[in-house]
mmCIF file with all atom_site columns, all heavy atoms in Angstrom:
data_model
loop_
_atom_site.group_PDB
_atom_site.id
_atom_site.type_symbol
_atom_site.label_atom_id
_atom_site.label_alt_id
_atom_site.label_comp_id
_atom_site.label_asym_id
_atom_site.label_entity_id
_atom_site.label_seq_id
_atom_site.pdbx_PDB_ins_code
_atom_site.Cartn_x
_atom_site.Cartn_y
_atom_site.Cartn_z
_atom_site.occupancy
_atom_site.B_iso_or_equiv
_atom_site.pdbx_formal_charge
_atom_site.auth_seq_id
_atom_site.auth_comp_id
_atom_site.auth_asym_id
_atom_site.auth_atom_id
_atom_site.pdbx_PDB_model_num
ATOM 1   N N   . ARG A 1 1  ? -164.618 -57.188 87.235 1.00 0.00 ? 1  ARG A N   1
ATOM 2   C CA  . ARG A 1 1  ? -164.099 -56.146 88.106 1.00 0.00 ? 1  ARG A CA  1
ATOM 3   C C   . ARG A 1 1  ? -163.527 -55.022 87.248 1.00 0.00 ? 1  ARG A C   1
ATOM 4   O O   . ARG A 1 1  ? -163.027 -55.251 86.147 1.00 0.00 ? 1  ARG A O   1
ATOM 5   C CB  . ARG A 1 1  ? -162.979 -56.690 89.003 1.00 0.00 ? 1  ARG A CB  1
ATOM 6   C CG  . ARG A 1 1  ? -163.422 -57.693 90.043 1.00 0.00 ? 1  ARG A CG  1
ATOM 7   C CD  . ARG A 1 1  ? -164.141 -57.059 91.209 1.00 0.00 ? 1  ARG A CD  1
ATOM 8   N NE  . ARG A 1 1  ? -163.356 -56.036 91.862 1.00 0.00 ? 1  ARG A NE  1
ATOM 9   C CZ  . ARG A 1 1  ? -163.819 -55.242 92.816 1.00 0.00 ? 1  ARG A CZ  1
ATOM 10  N NH1 . ARG A 1 1  ? -165.066 -55.323 93.199 1.00 0.00 ? 1  ARG A NH1 1
ATOM 11  N NH2 . ARG A 1 1  ? -163.039 -54.351 93.379 1.00 0.00 ? 1  ARG A NH2 1
ATOM 12  N N   . ALA A 1 2  ? -163.606 -53.800 87.742 1.00 0.00 ? 2  ALA A N   1
ATOM 13  C CA  . ALA A 1 2  ? -163.072 -52.659 87.004 1.00 0.00 ? 2  ALA A CA  1
ATOM 14  C C   . ALA A 1 2  ? -161.611 -52.917 86.637 1.00 0.00 ? 2  ALA A C   1
ATOM 15  O O   . ALA A 1 2  ? -160.805 -53.295 87.491 1.00 0.00 ? 2  ALA A O   1
ATOM 16  C CB  . ALA A 1 2  ? -163.190 -51.393 87.837 1.00 0.00 ? 2  ALA A CB  1
ATOM 17  N N   . GLY A 1 3  ? -161.295 -52.739 85.386 1.00 0.00 ? 3  GLY A N   1
ATOM 18  C CA  . GLY A 1 3  ? -159.930 -52.939 84.917 1.00 0.00 ? 3  GLY A CA  1
ATOM 19  C C   . GLY A 1 3  ? -159.599 -54.363 84.534 1.00 0.00 ? 3  GLY A C   1
ATOM 20  O O   . GLY A 1 3  ? -158.519 -54.613 83.999 1.00 0.00 ? 3  GLY A O   1
ATOM 21  N N   . ALA A 1 4  ? -160.510 -55.300 84.786 1.00 0.00 ? 4  ALA A N   1
ATOM 22  C CA  . ALA A 1 4  ? -160.252 -56.699 84.417 1.00 0.00 ? 4  ALA A CA  1
ATOM 23  C C   . ALA A 1 4  ? -160.704 -56.913 82.978 1.00 0.00 ? 4  ALA A C   1
ATOM 24  O O   . ALA A 1 4  ? -161.755 -57.479 82.702 1.00 0.00 ? 4  ALA A O   1
ATOM 25  C CB  . ALA A 1 4  ? -160.988 -57.643 85.364 1.00 0.00 ? 4  ALA A CB  1
ATOM 26  N N   . ASN A 1 5  ? -159.906 -56.409 82.052 1.00 0.00 ? 5  ASN A N   1
ATOM 27  C CA  . ASN A 1 5  ? -160.232 -56.525 80.643 1.00 0.00 ? 5  ASN A CA  1
ATOM 28  C C   . ASN A 1 5  ? -159.039 -57.097 79.885 1.00 0.00 ? 5  ASN A C   1
ATOM 29  O O   . ASN A 1 5  ? -157.972 -57.336 80.465 1.00 0.00 ? 5  ASN A O   1
ATOM 30  C CB  . ASN A 1 5  ? -160.647 -55.164 80.072 1.00 0.00 ? 5  ASN A CB  1
ATOM 31  C CG  . ASN A 1 5  ? -159.657 -54.073 80.431 1.00 0.00 ? 5  ASN A CG  1
ATOM 32  O OD1 . ASN A 1 5  ? -158.447 -54.267 80.353 1.00 0.00 ? 5  ASN A OD1 1
ATOM 33  N ND2 . ASN A 1 5  ? -160.161 -52.919 80.840 1.00 0.00 ? 5  ASN A ND2 1
ATOM 34  N N   . LYS A 1 6  ? -159.208 -57.305 78.620 1.00 0.00 ? 6  LYS A N   1
ATOM 35  C CA  . LYS A 1 6  ? -158.152 -57.948 77.838 1.00 0.00 ? 6  LYS A CA  1
ATOM 36  C C   . LYS A 1 6  ? -156.878 -57.119 77.806 1.00 0.00 ? 6  LYS A C   1
ATOM 37  O O   . LYS A 1 6  ? -155.768 -57.653 77.953 1.00 0.00 ? 6  LYS A O   1
ATOM 38  C CB  . LYS A 1 6  ? -158.648 -58.223 76.415 1.00 0.00 ? 6  LYS A CB  1
ATOM 39  C CG  . LYS A 1 6  ? -159.729 -59.286 76.340 1.00 0.00 ? 6  LYS A CG  1
ATOM 40  C CD  . LYS A 1 6  ? -160.118 -59.596 74.902 1.00 0.00 ? 6  LYS A CD  1
ATOM 41  C CE  . LYS A 1 6  ? -161.150 -60.705 74.832 1.00 0.00 ? 6  LYS A CE  1
ATOM 42  N NZ  . LYS A 1 6  ? -161.481 -61.089 73.443 1.00 0.00 ? 6  LYS A NZ  1
ATOM 43  N N   . GLU A 1 7  ? -157.032 -55.802 77.640 1.00 0.00 ? 7  GLU A N   1
ATOM 44  C CA  . GLU A 1 7  ? -155.831 -54.974 77.533 1.00 0.00 ? 7  GLU A CA  1
ATOM 45  C C   . GLU A 1 7  ? -155.035 -54.939 78.833 1.00 0.00 ? 7  GLU A C   1
ATOM 46  O O   . GLU A 1 7  ? -153.788 -54.950 78.815 1.00 0.00 ? 7  GLU A O   1
ATOM 47  C CB  . GLU A 1 7  ? -156.162 -53.565 77.053 1.00 0.00 ? 7  GLU A CB  1
ATOM 48  C CG  . GLU A 1 7  ? -157.229 -52.824 77.826 1.00 0.00 ? 7  GLU A CG  1
ATOM 49  C CD  . GLU A 1 7  ? -158.622 -53.011 77.290 1.00 0.00 ? 7  GLU A CD  1
ATOM 50  O OE1 . GLU A 1 7  ? -158.932 -54.090 76.748 1.00 0.00 ? 7  GLU A OE1 1
ATOM 51  O OE2 . GLU A 1 7  ? -159.434 -52.076 77.435 1.00 0.00 ? 7  GLU A OE2 1
ATOM 52  N N   . SER A 1 8  ? -155.713 -54.912 79.979 1.00 0.00 ? 8  SER A N   1
ATOM 53  C CA  . SER A 1 8  ? -154.998 -54.929 81.266 1.00 0.00 ? 8  SER A CA  1
ATOM 54  C C   . SER A 1 8  ? -154.258 -56.236 81.454 1.00 0.00 ? 8  SER A C   1
ATOM 55  O O   . SER A 1 8  ? -153.119 -56.260 81.937 1.00 0.00 ? 8  SER A O   1
ATOM 56  C CB  . SER A 1 8  ? -155.982 -54.714 82.418 1.00 0.00 ? 8  SER A CB  1
ATOM 57  O OG  . SER A 1 8  ? -156.524 -53.414 82.381 1.00 0.00 ? 8  SER A OG  1
ATOM 58  N N   . ALA A 1 9  ? -154.907 -57.340 81.081 1.00 0.00 ? 9  ALA A N   1
ATOM 59  C CA  . ALA A 1 9  ? -154.252 -58.637 81.188 1.00 0.00 ? 9  ALA A CA  1
ATOM 60  C C   . ALA A 1 9  ? -153.035 -58.716 80.278 1.00 0.00 ? 9  ALA A C   1
ATOM 61  O O   . ALA A 1 9  ? -151.986 -59.245 80.663 1.00 0.00 ? 9  ALA A O   1
ATOM 62  C CB  . ALA A 1 9  ? -155.238 -59.750 80.858 1.00 0.00 ? 9  ALA A CB  1
ATOM 63  N N   . ILE A 1 10 ? -153.161 -58.181 79.074 1.00 0.00 ? 10 ILE A N   1
ATOM 64  C CA  . ILE A 1 10 ? -152.035 -58.207 78.133 1.00 0.00 ? 10 ILE A CA  1
ATOM 65  C C   . ILE A 1 10 ? -150.864 -57.394 78.683 1.00 0.00 ? 10 ILE A C   1
ATOM 66  O O   . ILE A 1 10 ? -149.702 -57.820 78.610 1.00 0.00 ? 10 ILE A O   1
ATOM 67  C CB  . ILE A 1 10 ? -152.461 -57.681 76.750 1.00 0.00 ? 10 ILE A CB  1
ATOM 68  C CG1 . ILE A 1 10 ? -153.423 -58.675 76.096 1.00 0.00 ? 10 ILE A CG1 1
ATOM 69  C CG2 . ILE A 1 10 ? -151.247 -57.437 75.856 1.00 0.00 ? 10 ILE A CG2 1
ATOM 70  C CD1 . ILE A 1 10 ? -154.099 -58.156 74.838 1.00 0.00 ? 10 ILE A CD1 1
ATOM 71  N N   . ARG A 1 11 ? -151.155 -56.219 79.234 1.00 0.00 ? 11 ARG A N   1
ATOM 72  C CA  . ARG A 1 11 ? -150.083 -55.408 79.822 1.00 0.00 ? 11 ARG A CA  1
ATOM 73  C C   . ARG A 1 11 ? -149.348 -56.195 80.911 1.00 0.00 ? 11 ARG A C   1
ATOM 74  O O   . ARG A 1 11 ? -148.109 -56.204 80.967 1.00 0.00 ? 11 ARG A O   1
ATOM 75  C CB  . ARG A 1 11 ? -150.656 -54.126 80.434 1.00 0.00 ? 11 ARG A CB  1
ATOM 76  C CG  . ARG A 1 11 ? -151.032 -53.045 79.460 1.00 0.00 ? 11 ARG A CG  1
ATOM 77  C CD  . ARG A 1 11 ? -151.284 -51.728 80.184 1.00 0.00 ? 11 ARG A CD  1
ATOM 78  N NE  . ARG A 1 11 ? -151.975 -50.769 79.348 1.00 0.00 ? 11 ARG A NE  1
ATOM 79  C CZ  . ARG A 1 11 ? -153.296 -50.586 79.337 1.00 0.00 ? 11 ARG A CZ  1
ATOM 80  N NH1 . ARG A 1 11 ? -154.067 -51.306 80.144 1.00 0.00 ? 11 ARG A NH1 1
ATOM 81  N NH2 . ARG A 1 11 ? -153.842 -49.696 78.538 1.00 0.00 ? 11 ARG A NH2 1
ATOM 82  N N   . ASP A 1 12 ? -150.120 -56.839 81.778 1.00 0.00 ? 12 ASP A N   1
ATOM 83  C CA  . ASP A 1 12 ? -149.532 -57.586 82.887 1.00 0.00 ? 12 ASP A CA  1
ATOM 84  C C   . ASP A 1 12 ? -148.706 -58.766 82.381 1.00 0.00 ? 12 ASP A C   1
ATOM 85  O O   . ASP A 1 12 ? -147.564 -58.974 82.804 1.00 0.00 ? 12 ASP A O   1
ATOM 86  C CB  . ASP A 1 12 ? -150.655 -58.081 83.812 1.00 0.00 ? 12 ASP A CB  1
ATOM 87  C CG  . ASP A 1 12 ? -150.142 -58.513 85.175 1.00 0.00 ? 12 ASP A CG  1
ATOM 88  O OD1 . ASP A 1 12 ? -148.928 -58.374 85.433 1.00 0.00 ? 12 ASP A OD1 1
ATOM 89  O OD2 . ASP A 1 12 ? -150.955 -58.999 85.986 1.00 0.00 ? 12 ASP A OD2 1
ATOM 90  N N   . VAL A 1 13 ? -149.265 -59.524 81.459 1.00 0.00 ? 13 VAL A N   1
ATOM 91  C CA  . VAL A 1 13 ? -148.560 -60.690 80.918 1.00 0.00 ? 13 VAL A CA  1
ATOM 92  C C   . VAL A 1 13 ? -147.289 -60.262 80.191 1.00 0.00 ? 13 VAL A C   1
ATOM 93  O O   . VAL A 1 13 ? -146.219 -60.854 80.382 1.00 0.00 ? 13 VAL A O   1
ATOM 94  C CB  . VAL A 1 13 ? -149.485 -61.479 79.972 1.00 0.00 ? 13 VAL A CB  1
ATOM 95  C CG1 . VAL A 1 13 ? -148.696 -62.525 79.191 1.00 0.00 ? 13 VAL A CG1 1
ATOM 96  C CG2 . VAL A 1 13 ? -150.605 -62.153 80.763 1.00 0.00 ? 13 VAL A CG2 1
ATOM 97  N N   . ALA A 1 14 ? -147.391 -59.239 79.361 1.00 0.00 ? 14 ALA A N   1
ATOM 98  C CA  . ALA A 1 14 ? -146.221 -58.783 78.604 1.00 0.00 ? 14 ALA A CA  1
ATOM 99  C C   . ALA A 1 14 ? -145.107 -58.312 79.533 1.00 0.00 ? 14 ALA A C   1
ATOM 100 O O   . ALA A 1 14 ? -143.924 -58.619 79.319 1.00 0.00 ? 14 ALA A O   1
ATOM 101 C CB  . ALA A 1 14 ? -146.634 -57.662 77.645 1.00 0.00 ? 14 ALA A CB  1
ATOM 102 N N   . GLU A 1 15 ? -145.491 -57.579 80.582 1.00 0.00 ? 15 GLU A N   1
ATOM 103 C CA  . GLU A 1 15 ? -144.485 -57.106 81.533 1.00 0.00 ? 15 GLU A CA  1
ATOM 104 C C   . GLU A 1 15 ? -143.801 -58.273 82.228 1.00 0.00 ? 15 GLU A C   1
ATOM 105 O O   . GLU A 1 15 ? -142.567 -58.294 82.373 1.00 0.00 ? 15 GLU A O   1
ATOM 106 C CB  . GLU A 1 15 ? -145.138 -56.189 82.563 1.00 0.00 ? 15 GLU A CB  1
ATOM 107 C CG  . GLU A 1 15 ? -144.167 -55.629 83.593 1.00 0.00 ? 15 GLU A CG  1
ATOM 108 C CD  . GLU A 1 15 ? -144.831 -54.696 84.589 1.00 0.00 ? 15 GLU A CD  1
ATOM 109 O OE1 . GLU A 1 15 ? -146.031 -54.398 84.432 1.00 0.00 ? 15 GLU A OE1 1
ATOM 110 O OE2 . GLU A 1 15 ? -144.135 -54.279 85.531 1.00 0.00 ? 15 GLU A OE2 1
ATOM 111 N N   . ARG A 1 16 ? -144.594 -59.250 82.666 1.00 0.00 ? 16 ARG A N   1
ATOM 112 C CA  . ARG A 1 16 ? -144.028 -60.394 83.382 1.00 0.00 ? 16 ARG A CA  1
ATOM 113 C C   . ARG A 1 16 ? -143.133 -61.247 82.488 1.00 0.00 ? 16 ARG A C   1
ATOM 114 O O   . ARG A 1 16 ? -142.184 -61.873 82.961 1.00 0.00 ? 16 ARG A O   1
ATOM 115 C CB  . ARG A 1 16 ? -145.156 -61.248 83.974 1.00 0.00 ? 16 ARG A CB  1
ATOM 116 C CG  . ARG A 1 16 ? -145.861 -60.592 85.158 1.00 0.00 ? 16 ARG A CG  1
ATOM 117 C CD  . ARG A 1 16 ? -147.110 -61.361 85.527 1.00 0.00 ? 16 ARG A CD  1
ATOM 118 N NE  . ARG A 1 16 ? -147.772 -60.770 86.677 1.00 0.00 ? 16 ARG A NE  1
ATOM 119 C CZ  . ARG A 1 16 ? -147.608 -61.187 87.930 1.00 0.00 ? 16 ARG A CZ  1
ATOM 120 N NH1 . ARG A 1 16 ? -146.770 -62.182 88.186 1.00 0.00 ? 16 ARG A NH1 1
ATOM 121 N NH2 . ARG A 1 16 ? -148.258 -60.610 88.910 1.00 0.00 ? 16 ARG A NH2 1
ATOM 122 N N   . LEU A 1 17 ? -143.437 -61.277 81.193 1.00 0.00 ? 17 LEU A N   1
ATOM 123 C CA  . LEU A 1 17 ? -142.647 -62.077 80.263 1.00 0.00 ? 17 LEU A CA  1
ATOM 124 C C   . LEU A 1 17 ? -141.526 -61.273 79.609 1.00 0.00 ? 17 LEU A C   1
ATOM 125 O O   . LEU A 1 17 ? -140.746 -61.817 78.819 1.00 0.00 ? 17 LEU A O   1
ATOM 126 C CB  . LEU A 1 17 ? -143.552 -62.671 79.179 1.00 0.00 ? 17 LEU A CB  1
ATOM 127 C CG  . LEU A 1 17 ? -144.643 -63.634 79.676 1.00 0.00 ? 17 LEU A CG  1
ATOM 128 C CD1 . LEU A 1 17 ? -145.466 -64.141 78.503 1.00 0.00 ? 17 LEU A CD1 1
ATOM 129 C CD2 . LEU A 1 17 ? -144.038 -64.803 80.450 1.00 0.00 ? 17 LEU A CD2 1
ATOM 130 N N   . GLY A 1 18 ? -141.458 -59.990 79.927 1.00 0.00 ? 18 GLY A N   1
ATOM 131 C CA  . GLY A 1 18 ? -140.395 -59.151 79.376 1.00 0.00 ? 18 GLY A CA  1
ATOM 132 C C   . GLY A 1 18 ? -140.559 -58.858 77.900 1.00 0.00 ? 18 GLY A C   1
ATOM 133 O O   . GLY A 1 18 ? -139.560 -58.713 77.173 1.00 0.00 ? 18 GLY A O   1
ATOM 134 N N   . ILE A 1 19 ? -141.800 -58.747 77.452 1.00 0.00 ? 19 ILE A N   1
ATOM 135 C CA  . ILE A 1 19 ? -142.075 -58.479 76.041 1.00 0.00 ? 19 ILE A CA  1
ATOM 136 C C   . ILE A 1 19 ? -142.661 -57.078 75.907 1.00 0.00 ? 19 ILE A C   1
ATOM 137 O O   . ILE A 1 19 ? -143.720 -56.787 76.479 1.00 0.00 ? 19 ILE A O   1
ATOM 138 C CB  . ILE A 1 19 ? -143.067 -59.505 75.461 1.00 0.00 ? 19 ILE A CB  1
ATOM 139 C CG1 . ILE A 1 19 ? -142.473 -60.911 75.526 1.00 0.00 ? 19 ILE A CG1 1
ATOM 140 C CG2 . ILE A 1 19 ? -143.447 -59.147 74.023 1.00 0.00 ? 19 ILE A CG2 1
ATOM 141 C CD1 . ILE A 1 19 ? -143.429 -62.008 75.096 1.00 0.00 ? 19 ILE A CD1 1
ATOM 142 N N   . PRO A 1 20 ? -142.020 -56.182 75.182 1.00 0.00 ? 20 PRO A N   1
ATOM 143 C CA  . PRO A 1 20 ? -142.578 -54.839 74.986 1.00 0.00 ? 20 PRO A CA  1
ATOM 144 C C   . PRO A 1 20 ? -143.916 -54.900 74.253 1.00 0.00 ? 20 PRO A C   1
ATOM 145 O O   . PRO A 1 20 ? -144.081 -55.688 73.309 1.00 0.00 ? 20 PRO A O   1
ATOM 146 C CB  . PRO A 1 20 ? -141.514 -54.130 74.140 1.00 0.00 ? 20 PRO A CB  1
ATOM 147 C CG  . PRO A 1 20 ? -140.256 -54.919 74.355 1.00 0.00 ? 20 PRO A CG  1
ATOM 148 C CD  . PRO A 1 20 ? -140.707 -56.336 74.533 1.00 0.00 ? 20 PRO A CD  1
ATOM 149 N N   . ILE A 1 21 ? -144.860 -54.087 74.668 1.00 0.00 ? 21 ILE A N   1
ATOM 150 C CA  . ILE A 1 21 ? -146.189 -54.060 74.044 1.00 0.00 ? 21 ILE A CA  1
ATOM 151 C C   . ILE A 1 21 ? -146.112 -53.831 72.530 1.00 0.00 ? 21 ILE A C   1
ATOM 152 O O   . ILE A 1 21 ? -146.887 -54.436 71.775 1.00 0.00 ? 21 ILE A O   1
ATOM 153 C CB  . ILE A 1 21 ? -147.071 -52.991 74.706 1.00 0.00 ? 21 ILE A CB  1
ATOM 154 C CG1 . ILE A 1 21 ? -147.472 -53.436 76.121 1.00 0.00 ? 21 ILE A CG1 1
ATOM 155 C CG2 . ILE A 1 21 ? -148.328 -52.716 73.882 1.00 0.00 ? 21 ILE A CG2 1
ATOM 156 C CD1 . ILE A 1 21 ? -148.369 -54.658 76.165 1.00 0.00 ? 21 ILE A CD1 1
ATOM 157 N N   . PRO A 1 22 ? -145.184 -52.983 72.025 1.00 0.00 ? 22 PRO A N   1
ATOM 158 C CA  . PRO A 1 22 ? -145.109 -52.811 70.570 1.00 0.00 ? 22 PRO A CA  1
ATOM 159 C C   . PRO A 1 22 ? -144.752 -54.101 69.824 1.00 0.00 ? 22 PRO A C   1
ATOM 160 O O   . PRO A 1 22 ? -144.924 -54.170 68.600 1.00 0.00 ? 22 PRO A O   1
ATOM 161 C CB  . PRO A 1 22 ? -144.008 -51.753 70.395 1.00 0.00 ? 22 PRO A CB  1
ATOM 162 C CG  . PRO A 1 22 ? -144.049 -50.979 71.667 1.00 0.00 ? 22 PRO A CG  1
ATOM 163 C CD  . PRO A 1 22 ? -144.324 -51.997 72.733 1.00 0.00 ? 22 PRO A CD  1
ATOM 164 N N   . GLU A 1 23 ? -144.280 -55.127 70.555 1.00 0.00 ? 23 GLU A N   1
ATOM 165 C CA  . GLU A 1 23 ? -143.901 -56.390 69.916 1.00 0.00 ? 23 GLU A CA  1
ATOM 166 C C   . GLU A 1 23 ? -144.989 -57.458 70.066 1.00 0.00 ? 23 GLU A C   1
ATOM 167 O O   . GLU A 1 23 ? -144.741 -58.644 69.887 1.00 0.00 ? 23 GLU A O   1
ATOM 168 C CB  . GLU A 1 23 ? -142.565 -56.874 70.473 1.00 0.00 ? 23 GLU A CB  1
ATOM 169 C CG  . GLU A 1 23 ? -141.435 -55.905 70.155 1.00 0.00 ? 23 GLU A CG  1
ATOM 170 C CD  . GLU A 1 23 ? -140.089 -56.322 70.718 1.00 0.00 ? 23 GLU A CD  1
ATOM 171 O OE1 . GLU A 1 23 ? -139.990 -57.432 71.290 1.00 0.00 ? 23 GLU A OE1 1
ATOM 172 O OE2 . GLU A 1 23 ? -139.132 -55.539 70.597 1.00 0.00 ? 23 GLU A OE2 1
ATOM 173 N N   . VAL A 1 24 ? -146.207 -56.996 70.391 1.00 0.00 ? 24 VAL A N   1
ATOM 174 C CA  . VAL A 1 24 ? -147.362 -57.892 70.517 1.00 0.00 ? 24 VAL A CA  1
ATOM 175 C C   . VAL A 1 24 ? -148.341 -57.590 69.389 1.00 0.00 ? 24 VAL A C   1
ATOM 176 O O   . VAL A 1 24 ? -148.630 -56.423 69.101 1.00 0.00 ? 24 VAL A O   1
ATOM 177 C CB  . VAL A 1 24 ? -148.074 -57.716 71.880 1.00 0.00 ? 24 VAL A CB  1
ATOM 178 C CG1 . VAL A 1 24 ? -149.279 -58.654 71.981 1.00 0.00 ? 24 VAL A CG1 1
ATOM 179 C CG2 . VAL A 1 24 ? -147.104 -57.963 73.036 1.00 0.00 ? 24 VAL A CG2 1
ATOM 180 N N   . ILE A 1 25 ? -148.861 -58.633 68.754 1.00 0.00 ? 25 ILE A N   1
ATOM 181 C CA  . ILE A 1 25 ? -149.910 -58.485 67.754 1.00 0.00 ? 25 ILE A CA  1
ATOM 182 C C   . ILE A 1 25 ? -151.170 -59.141 68.301 1.00 0.00 ? 25 ILE A C   1
ATOM 183 O O   . ILE A 1 25 ? -151.109 -60.196 68.923 1.00 0.00 ? 25 ILE A O   1
ATOM 184 C CB  . ILE A 1 25 ? -149.493 -59.121 66.400 1.00 0.00 ? 25 ILE A CB  1
ATOM 185 C CG1 . ILE A 1 25 ? -150.570 -58.853 65.331 1.00 0.00 ? 25 ILE A CG1 1
ATOM 186 C CG2 . ILE A 1 25 ? -149.213 -60.611 66.523 1.00 0.00 ? 25 ILE A CG2 1
ATOM 187 C CD1 . ILE A 1 25 ? -150.142 -59.261 63.918 1.00 0.00 ? 25 ILE A CD1 1
ATOM 188 N N   . ALA A 1 26 ? -152.317 -58.491 68.109 1.00 0.00 ? 26 ALA A N   1
ATOM 189 C CA  . ALA A 1 26 ? -153.581 -59.013 68.633 1.00 0.00 ? 26 ALA A CA  1
ATOM 190 C C   . ALA A 1 26 ? -154.634 -59.036 67.530 1.00 0.00 ? 26 ALA A C   1
ATOM 191 O O   . ALA A 1 26 ? -154.679 -58.148 66.674 1.00 0.00 ? 26 ALA A O   1
ATOM 192 C CB  . ALA A 1 26 ? -154.068 -58.159 69.797 1.00 0.00 ? 26 ALA A CB  1
ATOM 193 N N   . PHE A 1 27 ? -155.503 -60.051 67.579 1.00 0.00 ? 27 PHE A N   1
ATOM 194 C CA  . PHE A 1 27 ? -156.557 -60.241 66.592 1.00 0.00 ? 27 PHE A CA  1
ATOM 195 C C   . PHE A 1 27 ? -157.913 -60.288 67.289 1.00 0.00 ? 27 PHE A C   1
ATOM 196 O O   . PHE A 1 27 ? -158.053 -60.938 68.331 1.00 0.00 ? 27 PHE A O   1
ATOM 197 C CB  . PHE A 1 27 ? -156.357 -61.564 65.840 1.00 0.00 ? 27 PHE A CB  1
ATOM 198 C CG  . PHE A 1 27 ? -155.098 -61.648 65.034 1.00 0.00 ? 27 PHE A CG  1
ATOM 199 C CD1 . PHE A 1 27 ? -153.893 -62.006 65.627 1.00 0.00 ? 27 PHE A CD1 1
ATOM 200 C CD2 . PHE A 1 27 ? -155.105 -61.369 63.670 1.00 0.00 ? 27 PHE A CD2 1
ATOM 201 C CE1 . PHE A 1 27 ? -152.716 -62.100 64.890 1.00 0.00 ? 27 PHE A CE1 1
ATOM 202 C CE2 . PHE A 1 27 ? -153.942 -61.461 62.915 1.00 0.00 ? 27 PHE A CE2 1
ATOM 203 C CZ  . PHE A 1 27 ? -152.742 -61.815 63.522 1.00 0.00 ? 27 PHE A CZ  1
ATOM 204 N N   . GLY A 1 28 ? -158.921 -59.626 66.714 1.00 0.00 ? 28 GLY A N   1
ATOM 205 C CA  . GLY A 1 28 ? -160.240 -59.647 67.333 1.00 0.00 ? 28 GLY A CA  1
ATOM 206 C C   . GLY A 1 28 ? -161.348 -59.292 66.373 1.00 0.00 ? 28 GLY A C   1
ATOM 207 O O   . GLY A 1 28 ? -161.115 -58.944 65.206 1.00 0.00 ? 28 GLY A O   1
ATOM 208 N N   . ASP A 1 29 ? -162.591 -59.360 66.906 1.00 0.00 ? 29 ASP A N   1
ATOM 209 C CA  . ASP A 1 29 ? -163.757 -59.075 66.075 1.00 0.00 ? 29 ASP A CA  1
ATOM 210 C C   . ASP A 1 29 ? -164.861 -58.315 66.810 1.00 0.00 ? 29 ASP A C   1
ATOM 211 O O   . ASP A 1 29 ? -165.733 -57.733 66.178 1.00 0.00 ? 29 ASP A O   1
ATOM 212 C CB  . ASP A 1 29 ? -164.374 -60.380 65.559 1.00 0.00 ? 29 ASP A CB  1
ATOM 213 C CG  . ASP A 1 29 ? -165.130 -61.117 66.651 1.00 0.00 ? 29 ASP A CG  1
ATOM 214 O OD1 . ASP A 1 29 ? -164.488 -61.692 67.550 1.00 0.00 ? 29 ASP A OD1 1
ATOM 215 O OD2 . ASP A 1 29 ? -166.375 -61.113 66.640 1.00 0.00 ? 29 ASP A OD2 1
ATOM 216 N N   . ASP A 1 30 ? -164.842 -58.308 68.166 1.00 0.00 ? 30 ASP A N   1
ATOM 217 C CA  . ASP A 1 30 ? -165.989 -57.811 68.917 1.00 0.00 ? 30 ASP A CA  1
ATOM 218 C C   . ASP A 1 30 ? -165.614 -56.584 69.745 1.00 0.00 ? 30 ASP A C   1
ATOM 219 O O   . ASP A 1 30 ? -164.432 -56.228 69.877 1.00 0.00 ? 30 ASP A O   1
ATOM 220 C CB  . ASP A 1 30 ? -166.530 -58.922 69.821 1.00 0.00 ? 30 ASP A CB  1
ATOM 221 C CG  . ASP A 1 30 ? -168.021 -58.806 70.072 1.00 0.00 ? 30 ASP A CG  1
ATOM 222 O OD1 . ASP A 1 30 ? -168.594 -57.723 69.823 1.00 0.00 ? 30 ASP A OD1 1
ATOM 223 O OD2 . ASP A 1 30 ? -168.624 -59.797 70.537 1.00 0.00 ? 30 ASP A OD2 1
ATOM 224 N N   . TYR A 1 31 ? -166.635 -55.958 70.357 1.00 0.00 ? 31 TYR A N   1
ATOM 225 C CA  . TYR A 1 31 ? -166.427 -54.717 71.098 1.00 0.00 ? 31 TYR A CA  1
ATOM 226 C C   . TYR A 1 31 ? -165.380 -54.865 72.201 1.00 0.00 ? 31 TYR A C   1
ATOM 227 O O   . TYR A 1 31 ? -164.587 -53.961 72.439 1.00 0.00 ? 31 TYR A O   1
ATOM 228 C CB  . TYR A 1 31 ? -167.749 -54.244 71.711 1.00 0.00 ? 31 TYR A CB  1
ATOM 229 C CG  . TYR A 1 31 ? -168.851 -54.035 70.704 1.00 0.00 ? 31 TYR A CG  1
ATOM 230 C CD1 . TYR A 1 31 ? -170.101 -54.626 70.893 1.00 0.00 ? 31 TYR A CD1 1
ATOM 231 C CD2 . TYR A 1 31 ? -168.662 -53.265 69.565 1.00 0.00 ? 31 TYR A CD2 1
ATOM 232 C CE1 . TYR A 1 31 ? -171.129 -54.443 69.972 1.00 0.00 ? 31 TYR A CE1 1
ATOM 233 C CE2 . TYR A 1 31 ? -169.678 -53.077 68.642 1.00 0.00 ? 31 TYR A CE2 1
ATOM 234 C CZ  . TYR A 1 31 ? -170.911 -53.672 68.846 1.00 0.00 ? 31 TYR A CZ  1
ATOM 235 O OH  . TYR A 1 31 ? -171.927 -53.498 67.941 1.00 0.00 ? 31 TYR A OH  1
#
């Protein structure tokens, strides 16, 4: 679905857990 991507999920999870996005580190390899 439009907007159902990793970054949207991270924003939602971080907000619900009270963690500022600048305090998240992410690792990846693909598009």
Side-chain angles (χ1 to χ4, degrees):
R1 292 285 304 173
N5 49 44
K6 292 184 177 184
E7 53 269 32
S8 293
I10 291 170
R11 284 193 195 95
D12 196 3
V13 169
E15 181 179 355
R16 288 170 178 264
L17 298 180
I19 298 175
I21 289 294
E23 297 178 5
V24 180
I25 185 171
F27 297 83
D29 74 287
D30 210 344
Y31 303 129

